[in-house]
């Protein structure tokens, strides 16, 4: 895929076709499967729940930018001001609970997951999701998505990544991201780029 005039952007909330919303929702799922799999192993139902978040203006997914190439979705990212993170996570969580009942077993899993995630307190741009279609990996699309995110926001850039995902860690570190606090050893660590 060349970065030609045939590439264009849209916001996920503006997608008109259900199949396009479902594709973007599936990409969002892929970007954070470790978290979403706490709710269910039914990826179809998760995709449906995430598609609903694309149009909720306060969810983590509402401001997703979708990259198109020759009228096909090839990738997406979701970013917003880091000060909005807690509110957007709450809205997204409530949306998931509408689809998946919040029982004792799920509460335990969520508490355990929360202990894996490094807390943050930096004001700037928070990149909550970035994903490309599997068949389009290693074609520079992830770099293109990240570059667009960085150009369209001011201040530090912040994201979370699984420390054990060496491909993702290398991808971000190669682009100037570094651990927020190198002395912490959270499984889901915060990376920042100033």
């Amino acid at each position: 895929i060349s970065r030609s005039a045939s590439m264009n952007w849209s916001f996920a909330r503006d997608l008109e076709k259900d199949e396009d919303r479902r594709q973007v929702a599936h990409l969002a799922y892929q970007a954070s499967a470790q978290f979403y799999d706490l709710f269910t192993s039914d990826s179809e139902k998760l995709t449906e729940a995430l598609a609903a978040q694309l149009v909720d203006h306060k969810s983590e997914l509402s401001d997703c930018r979708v990259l198109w190439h020759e009228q096909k979705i090839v990738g997406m990212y979701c970013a917003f001001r880091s000060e909005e993170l807690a509110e957007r996570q709450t809205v997204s969580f409530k949306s998931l609970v509408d689809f998946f009942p919040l029982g004792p077993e799920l509460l335990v899993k969520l508490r355990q997951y929360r202990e894996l995630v490094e807390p943050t307190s930096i004001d700037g741009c928070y990149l909550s999701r970035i994903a490309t279609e599997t068949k389009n990996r290693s074609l520079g699309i992830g770099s293109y998505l990240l570059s667009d995110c960085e150009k369209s926001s001011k201040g530090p850039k912040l994201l979370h990544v699984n420390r054990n995902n060496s491909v993702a860690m290398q991808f971000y570190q190669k682009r100037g991201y570094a651990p927020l606090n190198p002395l912490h050893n959270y499984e889901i660590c915060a990376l920042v780029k100033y």
Side-chain angles (χ1 to χ4, degrees), residues 149-163:
C149 176
E150 291 173 347
K151 287 178 193 171
S152 61
S153 61
K154 296 179 182 177
K157 314 307 182 257
L158 181 69
L159 58 94
H160 280 95
V161 66
N162 188 315
R163 181 180 305 279

Side-chain angles (χ1 to χ4, degrees), residues 23-80:
Q23 185 178 355
V24 172
H26 184 71
L27 286 172
Y29 164 73
Q30 287 180 323
S32 296
Q34 182 178 3
F35 172 72
Y36 292 128
D37 286 347
L38 297 175
F39 290 87
T40 182
S41 60
D42 185 344
S43 64
E44 285 300 312
K45 193 169 182 181
L46 273 167
T47 298
E48 181 183 343
L50 295 174
Q53 289 185 25
L54 293 173
V55 294
D56 185 337
H57 74 283
K58 285 295 184 180
S59 82
E60 286 186 88
L61 303 182
S62 67
D63 292 323
C64 282
R65 291 198 22 109
V66 180
L67 181 62
W68 297 77
H69 180 261
E70 297 178 354
Q71 301 180 347
K72 293 182 182 157
I73 296 171
V74 294
M76 57 74 82
Y77 73 85
C78 305
F80 45 83

